[in-house]
Amino acid sequence: MSFDNAYESLAVDHGDESRWAYGTGFADPLATVDRDLPGGVDPADLAQYSLMLGDDALIMSQRLSVWCSRGPELEEDVALANIALDLLGQARLLLTRAGDVLGRDEDSLAYLRDEHEFRNVQLCEPTDGPPGPAGVGDCGFGVARLLLFATGRLALFGALAASRAPVPAAGAARGVKELPSPRDHAARWRGRLGDGTAESNRRLRAGLAAFWPFVEELFEPHDVERRLAAAGVAVDPSSLRTPVFEVLDTVLSTATVERPDVRAVARVGGRAGRDGVHTESMGYLLAELQSVARAHPGATW
């Protein structure tokens, strides 16, 4: 392997468990994980919780993947591709866990569900701002969203590693090894943009203002989360508000950027992403994500 092509490095087996998520070289994402259900837990609740966390990872992975070959520099292309692949691996494990209960495999859950069946938070869905020269949005928006998402998910997985349910605990334990990388990657770019030029600072502020209204949903517990948290299986997301904001405030202050003064996105009849209520962008994202699988049902490659 010559490495003349920077993307060849993605295919190298570095023998590092932190790269567990890459690719499709393993048939069963749960092959080494105990699938037993803990006592006193409703399997349907655990399936829905797995969908919530798995859909977060799947949709965010899809959003990040559009930057591959279109980033501001080649190194950034590779970095975002790796982050997207890590999230895809998390999605595989969690969707497989949900499928055990629902009688579906990970592919059918990813490619054959309709929009209202997805349970991801809305933060993952919108495009990265208005289309730029590369046709995929504004890097300042992408950095802002990645910082918010990775900071929240790292806090969640840090607490979820203590779950008494084997699958979410195993996924969280692996995830906490991966998630510092995208959070710190976004934080470094935050510094480059916030402390760069007036224009780069403006773009970062615009990105934060665009995505900050979706942050509140990260801390609003769904009934399923409440029940599973009481059973020692899930994490009550409201408990994450303080640690997440402490990290975000520290990161933003070093780039002379403050929390945007914007209102949270209004719920629709009290419902949001965890209930299958999504933004306008979600339908377009799924059309792209699912197009090949729906055009060629049952195909393998």
Side-chain angles (χ1 to χ4, degrees):
M1 187 172 292
S2 66
F3 294 103
D4 290 337
N5 181 342
Y7 294 100
E8 291 182 26
S9 65
L10 292 175
V12 176
D13 180 3
H14 298 286
D16 180 355
E17 188 185 8
S18 67
R19 306 308 312 160
W20 69 282
Y22 173 64
T24 57
F26 48 94
D28 183 0
L30 296 178
T32 61
V33 181
D34 182 1
R35 298 183 187 225
D36 289 343
L37 291 171
V41 175
D42 184 346
D45 277 353
L46 185 56
Q48 288 301 307
Y49 189 57
S50 298
L51 285 180
M52 292 174 185
L53 302 184
D55 288 347
D56 287 346
L58 177 66
I59 301 306
M60 189 63 185
S61 176
Q62 178 69 11
R63 270 291 170 238
L64 286 171
S65 68
V66 303
W67 284 102
C68 188
S69 81
R70 298 172 179 175
E73 56 191 33
L74 183 59
E75 183 179 356
E76 188 67 6
D77 290 345
V78 176
L80 291 177
N82 272 282
I83 293 170
L85 288 167
D86 283 342
L87 290 172
L88 186 60
Q90 294 176 20
R92 291 196 63 192
L93 185 150
L94 291 159
L95 293 184
T96 298
R97 168 75 279 186
D100 284 347
V101 177
L102 301 175
R104 304 177 68 174
D105 63 20
E106 57 178 299
D107 285 343
S108 70
L109 289 173
Y111 300 128
L112 301 180
R113 277 184 295 159
D114 293 328
E115 179 179 329
H116 70 276
E117 297 176 282
F118 280 79
R119 295 293 179 262
N120 56 280
V121 292
Q122 294 177 350
L123 173 64
C124 307
E125 302 168 11
T127 59
D128 289 318
V136 293
D138 189 307
C139 186
F141 282 66
V143 167
R145 191 224 306 265
L146 182 58
L147 176 64
L148 299 176
F149 177 84
T151 302
R153 194 165 179 89
L154 180 56
L156 170 61
F157 273 26
L160 189 60
S163 170
R164 68 186 186 90
V167 173
R174 291 169 174 173
V176 294
K177 298 177 182 179
E178 300 166 352
L179 289 164
S181 177
R183 184 198 63 185
D184 295 346
H185 180 81
R188 286 192 297 272
W189 267 99
R190 174 272 319 148
R192 294 173 68 178
L193 295 173
D195 296 335
T197 66
E199 175 61 13
S200 68
N201 185 281
R202 182 196 68 78
R203 291 190 178 198
L204 177 60
R205 288 176 182 272
L208 287 169
F211 290 116
W212 202 272
F214 298 100
V215 170
E216 190 61 30
E217 188 184 0
L218 300 179
F219 311 119
E220 295 177 348
H222 188 276
D223 287 344
V224 168
E225 292 173 302
R226 289 192 182 96
R227 289 194 294 269
L228 291 180
V233 170
V235 175
D236 183 340
S238 64
S239 67
L240 305 175
R241 184 190 305 272
T242 296
V244 168
F245 280 141
E246 286 178 349
V247 171
L248 291 176
D249 286 341
T250 299
V251 171
L252 295 179
S253 66
T254 61
T256 62
V257 177
E258 299 177 350
R259 294 189 200 179
D261 184 15
V262 292
R263 291 184 178 181
V265 171
R267 288 175 168 258
V268 179
R271 303 165 70 233
R274 295 298 193 218
D275 305 293
V277 176
H278 300 287
T279 66
E280 181 182 3
S281 300
M282 185 66 166
Y284 295 100
L285 183 151
L286 290 180
E288 183 175 50
L289 171 66
Q290 300 178 335
S291 59
V292 175
R294 288 182 180 264
H296 305 281
T300 59
W301 51 84

